[in-house]
Amino acid sequence: MIAWLRIVAIVFILAVVTLCLLPVQLLGLKFDWRLRRTLPRLWHRVACRLLGLHVRTHGKLEARRPLMIAANHASWKDILVLGSVADVVYVAKAEVANWPVFGVLAKLQKTIFVEREQKRKAGDQVNEIASRLGGGEIVVLFPEGTTSDGNRLLDVKSSLFGAASAAVASSPEGVVYVQPVSIAYTGIYGMPMGRYHRPIAAWPGDIELTPHLMGVLKAEALEVDVDFGEAVEFRADTNRKVAGASVVSRLRTMLNQRLYPRSG
């Protein structure tokens, strides 16, 4: 009974906060105010607090621009976690735009939707990402292309870093920075989280959303470690595959060291 009362309270408070911020965000989107980039961070912080996500950061967000973040992807909660510590915009698959609730929230943050199966639109989509990078926005890319079980980094395709290379031409200094950022769910109820409990945090694609969401709401206390790694420079003469492999290597190392500290 207490758990259900808590869930109702979380949904109610989050709905009230959303409705309060909504008019301002809509105006920010209409007139492209800088506020539309920063306001979502407040919403994400409130959401993390209500859901019991305790976020710890290690290292610092790269200060130089243009900046793309390459992060591992275990759950929809990654959106809240990253959004609570930096003013970012996400790249998501096109079908997310039609998801109930999540699709609306994604649009309010001006998410960049891409159709991965439509190769004819690939150039336009890359140009859109490059344009947003050139405009000073921090674009988050989940290069795995899907969510994992939270215990490892899935295979990554270097072609997904094409937008970083495309944005080089519009960069005043002729360089785009790609920073690896790992998101590790490491604790629950103050205890270390192992493989057994990580399904509570992770959301692989074959798990239904509703029961998973209920599990998160009932869990109350999840600890998340966000590690900001050293950025990799993409220049006009940079080999995209080599640079992309460097980003992925740093990302995988940070994630493994956080998830399995004894093996590091």
Side-chain angles (χ1 to χ4, degrees):
M1 182 63 180
I2 295 178
W4 280 104
L5 288 175
R6 175 178 174 273
I7 291 173
V8 171
I10 289 174
V11 173
F12 176 76
I13 295 174
L14 194 55
V16 171
V17 172
T18 302
L19 290 174
C20 289
L21 297 179
L22 181 60
V24 181
Q25 183 66 5
L26 288 174
L27 287 172
L29 289 169
K30 181 177 181 179
F31 298 104
D32 198 24
W33 292 342
R34 183 174 180 80
L35 182 66
R36 64 97 173 159
R37 303 183 188 180
T38 58
L39 196 61
R41 192 197 293 200
L42 173 60
W43 188 92
H44 286 130
R45 285 181 175 177
V46 172
C48 284
R49 180 67 62 87
L50 290 173
L51 291 175
L53 296 174
H54 302 286
V55 183
R56 297 183 293 250
T57 59
H58 311 272
K60 294 182 179 180
L61 179 70
E62 174 62 56
R64 295 170 293 183
R65 301 290 183 272
L67 175 63
M68 172 182 281
I69 286 178
N72 61 292
H73 198 19
S75 168
W76 53 268
K77 293 181 291 298
D78 302 337
I79 306 294
L80 305 180
V81 171
L82 270 183
S84 72
V85 298
D87 300 328
V88 297
V89 61
Y90 296 96
V91 177
K93 54 187 179 181
E95 48 264 43
V96 172
N98 298 317
W99 288 3
V101 182
F102 289 95
V104 175
L105 294 174
K107 291 175 183 177
L108 286 173
Q109 198 169 351
K110 207 172 182 181
T111 293
I112 303 170
F113 297 107
V114 298
E115 299 182 39
R116 294 169 182 156
E117 304 303 322
Q118 297 291 330
K119 294 185 178 181
R120 295 179 180 178
K121 297 182 179 180
D124 292 337
Q125 292 171 167
V126 167
N127 290 335
E128 169 67 10
I129 298 173
S131 175
R132 301 283 283 276
L133 285 168
E137 295 187 66
I138 303 172
V139 177
V140 176
L141 175 70
F142 295 116
E144 291 166 290
T146 185
T147 50
S148 71
D149 59 6
N151 292 305
R152 60 197 174 97
L153 182 70
L154 301 178
D155 292 336
V156 172
K157 295 181 179 180
S158 62
S159 59
L160 295 176
F161 293 103
S165 299
V168 170
S170 59
S171 172
E173 298 180 1
V175 58
V176 171
Y177 302 94
V178 179
Q179 184 175 27
V181 177
S182 72
I183 306 170
Y185 296 86
T186 56
I188 182 170
Y189 300 118
M191 299 293 290
M193 181 185 293
R195 288 179 177 270
Y196 178 79
H197 287 105
R198 198 154 286 127
I200 298 176
W203 183 48
D206 57 346
I207 303 298
E208 292 186 8
L209 177 59
T210 301
H212 170 74
L213 179 58
M214 296 304 295
V216 172
L217 291 172
K218 292 178 181 178
E220 298 185 29
L222 294 176
E223 298 172 13
V224 192
D225 286 280
V226 180
D227 286 86
F228 292 93
E230 182 181 356
V232 174
E233 296 183 357
F234 278 66
R235 298 178 180 274
D237 59 349
T238 297
N239 184 305
R240 187 178 67 191
K241 290 187 177 181
V242 173
S246 180
V247 173
V248 173
S249 176
R250 296 178 187 184
L251 176 56
R252 179 173 283 110
T253 296
M254 290 190 300
L255 182 62
N256 287 342
Q257 290 178 343
R258 188 60 63 184
L259 291 176
Y260 312 108
R262 292 181 181 178
S263 64

